């Protein structure tokens, strides 16, 4: 979904973005292990929403074509590229950040990393490992919690 932000009549959307919500790259969590992607992604996208830069993480979002929209998109891309350069501290993440360093294209970095996490051979292998673990786990009668807590 797209969030619409009202803008004072004397201010463009790009000006409102520059003067609006305080953006803080340190608020974004750092990913150091690809295996932690699912939980990291939840927090990462929540912070992006709070800082009003989540459109960059929407892989089907097409940038606006009007001048102010282009300017706003460029600001958002620049900011999120710096965030991804700081927060994607995995081998594959750093590779995608380097690939798009000249254009500073955060959306392309995100699109490739998301595809790597969900559709790559590495992702398939991780799913197989987790499935095998879940289907072979032995219930301990000494476990004081619930079955869900045991598995998690």
């Amino acid at each position: 979904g797209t969030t619409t932000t009202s803008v004072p009549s004397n201010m463009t959307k790009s000006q409102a973005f520059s003067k609006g919500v305080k953006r803080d790259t340190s608020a974004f969590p750092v990913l150091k292990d690809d295996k932690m992607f699912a939980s990291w992604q939840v927090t990462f996208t929540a912070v992006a929403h709070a800082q009003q830069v989540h459109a960059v993480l929407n892989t089907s979002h097409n940038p606006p074509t009007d001048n102010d929209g282009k300017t706003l998109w460029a600001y958002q891309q620049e900011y999120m590229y710096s965030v991804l350069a700081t927060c994607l501290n995995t081998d594959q993440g750093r590779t995608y950040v380097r690939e798009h360093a000249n254009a500073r294209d955060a959306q392309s970095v995100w699109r490739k990393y998301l595809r790597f996490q969900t559709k790559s051979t590495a992702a398939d292998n991780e799913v197989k490992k987790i499935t095998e673990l879940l289907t072979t786990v032995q219930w301990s009668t000494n476990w004081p919690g619930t079955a869900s807590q045991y598995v998690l």
Side-chain angles (χ1 to χ4, degrees), residues 105-141:
D105 185 351
Q107 189 179 45
S108 291
V109 172
W110 183 255
R111 182 181 294 115
K112 286 182 177 182
Y113 194 70
L114 196 57
R115 188 179 314 126
F116 168 76
Q117 283 292 337
T118 58
K119 304 206 185 313
S120 69
T121 302
D124 289 344
N125 288 339
E126 195 59 32
V127 168
K128 287 177 187 172
K129 283 184 202 173
I130 291 169
T131 302
E132 183 177 331
L133 175 69
L134 289 173
T135 57
T136 59
V137 69
Q138 295 290 318
W139 177 265
S140 171
T141 56

